[in-house]
Amino acid sequence: MDLMQAIKGRRSVRKYKTDPISDKAVETVLEAARWAPSWTNSQCWRFVVVRDFQLKEKLAAILDREKNRSAPAVRNAPVVIVACAELGKSGYYRGQISTDKGDWFMFDTALAMQNLTLAAHATGLGTVHIGLFDAKEVARVLDVPDGVAVVEMTPLGYPDEEPHQSSRKELTEIAFKEKYGKQ
Ligand SMILES: Cc1cc2nc3c(=O)[nH]c(=O)nc-3n(C[C@H](O)[C@H](O)[C@H](O)COP(=O)(O)O)c2cc1C
C-alpha cells in the first residue's frame, strides 16, 4: 500500500471480528513500531501483547469506568497491544532533562504507535489509539514495574465495521508561511 494511501485511509476501528490473528501479523506491526525514531535513539517504548481473554476483560472493565467507547473493542478483539514507556530516558542527556518539555516518552511512544497503526492498516488490520483510562490500574493488571508508564493501548484485529467519516482542518488553518499565523 502506498504511504499516503495508508496515512489517509487509516481510521479508528471500534468493532472487530473475533477471527484470530497470527503471531506473524503481530510481529509485523511491532516491527514497524521498533523502527520509529526516538530521542538519541533511546527507544523507551515497551509493548505488552495481550491475547488472554480474562486480561482483556480486565482492561475493558477499566475502560468501562471512563465510559470509553472503545471498551467493547478491547473486550472483543483477538489482540490488545498496550504501549508503555521507560521513564527518564527520552529527553534526557547525561541523566538531566534537556528541554523545557521534560520527559519526551509520550512523543517517542506516539511515533512508534503511529508506525504500528499504519502498518496494521496496510496489512488489513484495524486499530484505535486509546488514551482515556486509569493507566495506574492497567499497570497493576499487567505487572508493569515502577519507572515504566502505561501510555496507550490499541486493539488489533480484523475490522467488523465500515470506517466512520473523519475530517481534518484545512492546511491553511494549521500551516503557516515564515512566521506563526502568517498565510
Ligand atoms: C492520543 C489519542 C488518544 C485517544 N484516545 C481514545 C480513547 O480513549 N477512546 C477512543 O475511542 N478513541 C480514542 N482516540 C481516537 C480518536 O478519537 C480518533 O483518532 C480521532 O477521532 C480521529 O479519528 P480517526 O482515527 O478515525 O482518523 C484517541 C486518539 C489519540 C491520538
Side-chain angles (χ1 to χ4, degrees), residues 107-124:
F107 191 93
D108 287 357
T109 307
L111 292 174
M113 287 303 283
Q114 176 71 346
N115 274 13
L116 184 148
T117 58
L118 289 176
H121 177 63
T123 53

Side-chain angles (χ1 to χ4, degrees), residues 5-6 9 17 21 37 40 44-45 56 60 82 95 108 135 137 140-141 148 159 166 169:
Q5 204 184 340
K17 294 180 180 160
I21 62 171
T40 62
C44 68
W45 48 64
K56 282 190 293 173
V82 181
D108 287 357
E137 196 56 38
R140 263 191 291 277
V141 167
V148 178
S166 186
K169 293 177 180 172

Side-chain angles (χ1 to χ4, degrees), residues 103-139:
D103 197 318
W104 282 66
F105 73 95
M106 296 286 279
F107 191 93
D108 287 357
T109 307
L111 292 174
M113 287 303 283
Q114 176 71 346
N115 274 13
L116 184 148
T117 58
L118 289 176
H121 177 63
T123 53
L125 294 168
T127 57
V128 53
H129 296 282
I130 302 174
L132 176 63
F133 55 81
D134 181 341
K136 292 215 158 49
E137 196 56 38
V138 170

